[in-house]
Amino acid sequence: MADAHHAPRGRLRRADEIERWAKDMTEQYRQLLSRNRMTELSRRSSQRRATSPHAHSHHHHSMAPPYAREEPIIQDQPPPSYSSLRNLPMVPSPPTDARSIRFRNMLLSLSATPLSWENPGLLDEALRIVPIDRIQTEAEEESMILQAEAESLGKKPEWGYQDCAIKALMKWFKQSFFSWVNNPPCDVCFSPTVVYGPTAATDDEAARGATRVELYRCSQPECGAFARFPRYSDAFVLLQTRRGRVGEWVSCFGMLCRAMNARVRWVWNSEDHNWLEVYSAHAKRWVHVDVCEGVWDRPRLYAEGWRRKLGYCIAFSADGAMDVTRRYCRNPAKYGKERARTPEPCLLHILNEIRSIRRRDMPKQEKFRLEGEDIREQKELQAHVIMAIAAEICKLTPAQLADAARRSDPDAQKAEEARQSGETQYVRAPGQNNRQSPQNPRRDQEGR
């Protein structure tokens, strides 16, 4: 009976001893591998020293350890080619040349444009002008329609209530509030005017933020009065004048969007056009908004619709800046314009500098949130380019693919040229009857 009780304990002790033995053997094996590794490193170091000019003397060779003479000397491997480093991330570098510095100063100045929309007093004043009841009613109707359509299809609605409110605001702004001006009418007889030229701003115009003033003359000879058209950049002044061109439209509507508590970007385009981007919390992305054209989420309008080549599209907001050119120019080879104002690493450094300035006093949690948005947007912009490349590839025919592969293979191209050259020499060889048709050899034999 006692032996039956002590048998399990003996087996347990035996198992513990085996486990300790296994651990000891494992540790010894690791130490052995470590010693072998150090020995191998020492051997290679000795071989490298043997390749030096002083290592080829007979005395040094005779004093070398035996294992240094048993195997041939292994030369150091060459460093990897720079072609293997093409896909490394771009490293920002500060601008150093005069042209890049001028471009940096211009972007820093442009980045202050949306800051004028952050005055709480002006936003409250702007909100008094907006017909809130009308905007909310239209937004609720469209939101309910989108919700019903999504439920019938079993998916998420395309836009949320806040998005529908901005769309209703844009409709009211374009149709009822702001007016487009090419040539202002005559102030005296209200007849059409013709361009006369630029002129200096008056003290009152300069105090209200007029960047420049255009002068027009009445087209009626008996009138001949002059009409002034100040180009205001102050959004609060534009709430009173309610007229202008692209710059005025975008500036005024951007402030109204901020008054509606929407996050807004002002997009500068190097081809003399401006528009906005509004962040959709429902879609979790920035949405293209062109109030002058009355369009929502149509980023391909300029390149593929207007056939306009785009160089730079930089979006500025109160919390940073982003190069969004890839959102509006999906096919740079076809619709892209040369980006020669500064190297791309310098542009990346400038945008990082603007972000750091705008986010300097933000809480750490807010900075982390914005950095996460930046990462998601970069992935979105990269996906646009990938989808555009895939779409272009899908348009290619098999013959075009084969021709592209043949052009990319120099050996195949040389073989094709040699084959064509051989055929030409055969046709032009002396003694050959070039007028005989090789398609009917039987007729040639009958003739002979």
Side-chain angles (χ1 to χ4, degrees):
M1 193 69 172
D3 295 339
H5 286 290
H6 289 290
R9 296 179 183 177
R11 284 195 294 269
L12 290 175
R13 285 197 298 271
R14 180 63 176 170
D16 293 339
E17 292 175 359
I18 293 175
E19 186 177 359
R20 285 195 298 271
W21 176 79
K23 290 182 179 180
D24 293 340
M25 292 299 294
T26 302
E27 184 64 26
Q28 293 178 14
Y29 182 69
R30 288 176 180 174
Q31 294 177 2
L32 178 62
L33 289 179
S34 178
R35 286 195 299 270
N36 291 342
R37 180 61 178 165
M38 294 301 297
T39 303
E40 179 68 16
L41 292 176
S42 301
R43 183 181 65 82
R44 292 184 180 181
S45 177
S46 301
Q47 290 175 353
R48 291 192 185 97
R49 287 194 299 269
T51 58
S52 61
H54 302 285
H56 295 287
S57 62
H58 176 75
H59 175 73
H60 181 78
H61 184 74
S62 60
M63 296 299 294
Y67 52 77
R69 299 192 302 269
E70 291 175 358
E71 298 181 2
I73 297 174
I74 302 176
Q75 300 292 338
D76 294 341
Q77 295 294 329
S81 62
Y82 289 105
S83 61
S84 62
L85 307 178
R86 291 175 181 172
N87 295 325
L88 289 178
M90 186 185 302
V91 179
S93 60
T96 55
D97 59 289
R99 187 174 188 180
S100 298
I101 293 175
R102 287 195 302 268
F103 190 58
R104 169 190 174 273
N105 296 335
M106 185 190 72
L107 292 183
L108 286 174
S109 177
L110 293 174
S111 68
T113 300
L115 298 181
S116 61
W117 306 337
E118 300 300 319
N119 189 320
L122 296 182
L123 294 180
D124 292 341
E125 186 66 25
L127 199 59
R128 295 191 186 98
I129 301 175
V130 178
I132 298 296
D133 295 337
R134 172 182 170 181
I135 300 299
Q136 290 179 346
T137 301
E138 294 182 3
E140 289 176 359
E141 292 178 355
E142 184 177 4
S143 179
M144 291 175 63
I145 292 173
L146 293 175
Q147 183 71 29
E149 292 177 351
E151 290 179 355
S152 63
L153 298 175
K155 62 180 184 179
K156 179 182 176 182
E158 185 178 7
W159 305 110
Y161 173 80
Q162 181 68 19
D163 306 325
C164 297
I166 298 299
K167 293 171 69 175
L169 178 68
M170 179 173 60
K171 180 181 177 182
W172 164 80
F173 184 89
K174 180 176 176 60
Q175 297 180 357
S176 306
F177 184 74
F178 224 75
S179 60
W180 183 272
V181 174
N182 284 324
N183 290 18
C186 177
D187 297 332
V188 178
C189 64
F190 303 102
S191 299
T193 58
V194 294
V195 179
Y196 190 80
T199 185
T202 63
D203 294 339
D204 180 66
E205 292 169 343
R208 300 175 70 187
T211 55
R212 65 182 187 275
V213 178
E214 300 174 359
L215 194 62
Y216 295 83
R217 189 169 188 174
C218 182
S219 59
Q220 299 296 328
E222 60 274 10
C223 179
F226 289 94
R228 303 173 64 86
F229 181 37
R231 303 300 304 275
Y232 293 112
S233 58
D234 191 338
F236 184 72
V237 176
L238 295 173
L239 290 176
Q240 304 168 8
T241 61
R242 302 186 181 186
R243 67 173 188 170
R245 301 196 189 109
V246 174
E248 291 86 351
W249 278 63
V250 172
S251 181
C252 188
F253 184 69
M255 189 178 70
L256 292 179
C257 290
R258 286 295 298 130
M260 295 286 291
N261 202 29
R263 294 176 58 193
V264 186
R265 277 176 171 175
W266 178 76
V267 182
W268 169 80
N269 172 238
S270 56
E271 283 64 53
D272 196 24
H273 191 53
N274 304 114
W275 58 87
L276 296 175
E277 287 184 347
V278 176
Y279 187 79
S280 171
H282 180 82
K284 292 182 174 55
R285 64 180 178 90
W286 289 95
V287 180
H288 161 247
V289 179
D290 193 329
V291 65
C292 301
E293 302 297 324
V295 297
W296 170 274
D297 196 29
R298 287 178 55 191
R300 301 186 182 186
L301 170 68
Y302 313 112
E304 301 177 20
W306 296 358
R307 302 292 177 180
R308 175 180 291 185
K309 292 184 177 295
L310 302 177
Y312 294 93
C313 299
I314 312 294
F316 301 101
S317 66
D319 50 27
M322 179 68 70
D323 182 5
V324 294
T325 310
R326 289 174 290 179
R327 178 175 291 130
Y328 301 94
C329 182
R330 308 288 177 89
N331 189 346
K334 188 174 183 181
Y335 301 111
K337 205 171 185 179
E338 184 182 7
R339 293 162 60 100
R341 298 199 179 190
T342 187
E344 294 300 322
C346 294
L347 177 60
L348 186 59
H349 179 275
I350 296 170
L351 298 181
N352 289 341
E353 181 182 5
I354 295 174
R355 290 192 199 101
S356 63
I357 293 173
R358 296 289 175 259
R359 303 174 185 179
R360 180 185 302 152
D361 301 326
M362 289 184 179
K364 185 178 295 185
Q365 193 67 23
E366 183 70 9
K367 291 181 180 179
F368 287 160
R369 185 184 65 81
L370 293 174
E371 289 174 0
E373 286 185 1
D374 295 340
I375 294 173
R376 287 196 300 269
E377 186 172 18
Q378 288 289 357
K379 292 181 179 179
E380 175 195 346
L381 296 176
Q382 292 173 0
H384 289 327
V385 177
I386 294 172
M387 293 174 64
I389 294 174
E392 292 296 323
I393 292 175
C394 293
K395 294 178 183 178
L396 296 177
T397 62
Q400 292 174 329
L401 291 173
D403 184 58
R406 189 165 51 250
R407 288 198 303 269
S408 62
D409 188 356
D411 295 335
Q413 189 173 2
K414 291 179 180 179
E416 180 68 18
E417 293 176 355
R419 184 184 65 81
Q420 295 178 358
S421 176
E423 291 179 353
T424 304
Q425 294 176 1
Y426 172 76
V427 171
R428 295 180 179 178
Q432 297 289 338
N433 188 3
N434 297 335
R435 287 176 291 184
Q436 293 181 355
S437 175
Q439 298 179 356
N440 296 318
R442 183 177 301 176
R443 182 182 302 175
D444 298 336
Q445 293 175 1
E446 293 177 354
R448 287 193 294 269

